[in-house]
Amino acid sequence: MTMLPKLQGAFANRSVLKVISGLNNLNAQSVAATVKAAELGGATFVDIAADTDLVRLAKNVTSLPICVSAVEPEKFVAAVAAGADLIEIGNFDSFYAQGRRFEAEEVLALTQQTRALLPEITLSVTVPHILTLDKQVQLAESLVKAGADIIQTEGGTSSKPAHAGSLGLIEKAAPTLAAAYEISRAVSVPVLCASGISNVTAPLAIAAGAAGVGVGSAINQLNSEVAMIAAVRGLVESLNTANIRTFA
């Protein structure tokens, strides 16, 4: 597997910002706005639903690398043929509200099936937060052996912040930060910390061992392109500040 040079540098510098439009978001206008804001704000790459029309749309509006998300391996084949640069088994958050759970065995099987279909493409896999932390670590190790190039963490949708402001943002990010801390010490591939991350907690993700963060609703739920660009820029600055402090 050869990761795009654009991505390699950002992962090496631990400054990755992935902007997520949403696995169930098939609205072309919404996806286009999110993708444009990601590029204008300085994000590293974008993550969209594994839909060929959306991939073509994204390629027309951005030069950023395009990741596609799905939980059905066969969807990746057409999306990669349409121009997707990397793939993600994940965005499980969008299924939990429906009562759909992803257990370790299923995620590992999806990874093995995907690798069999697409042995060369850069593959990111999310570890479900519904597993205990020790089980998350075990699964992450198995996923890397099965061919995952990036491990992503999650947990923001299930956390129940008790406070407002910065304290509430830290409480919201606690599950995904804890997972990033434990997993990054157990695997040799980069870890992306996603779900419930804000510009307050992005530096904490880097400190916990992540190579970067994935952010969705904090950007794609905003109602203007100006606000979306500002949110992306705020996250980029937050990550840059974290790295200046970390490596100073």
Side-chain angles (χ1 to χ4, degrees), residues 130-218:
I130 56 171
L131 306 175
T132 58
L133 273 178
D134 60 325
K135 298 290 185 192
Q136 289 187 48
V137 172
Q138 283 176 19
L139 176 58
E141 291 171 329
S142 298
L143 292 171
V144 173
K145 285 179 189 161
D149 303 300
I150 302 162
I151 296 294
Q152 187 167 287
T153 63
E154 63 166 26
T157 53
S158 71
S159 56
K160 301 284 186 284
H163 299 87
S166 296
L167 181 54
L169 292 171
I170 292 168
E171 289 170 344
K172 185 170 181 60
T176 194
L177 292 171
Y181 180 86
E182 297 291 344
I183 291 170
S184 66
R185 280 151 181 76
V187 299
S188 56
V189 303
V191 174
L192 263 186
C193 192
S195 182
I197 295 295
S198 65
N199 58 357
V200 171
T201 50
L204 302 180
I206 304 303
V213 299
V215 180
S217 57

Side-chain angles (χ1 to χ4, degrees), residues 53-79:
D53 290 337
L54 290 181
V55 173
R56 293 188 193 101
L57 169 76
K59 288 188 79 68
N60 281 333
V61 299
T62 186
S63 60
L64 292 179
I66 297 162
C67 177
V68 290
S69 284
V71 292
E72 297 142 285
E74 59 277 4
K75 284 190 174 179
F76 291 128
V77 178

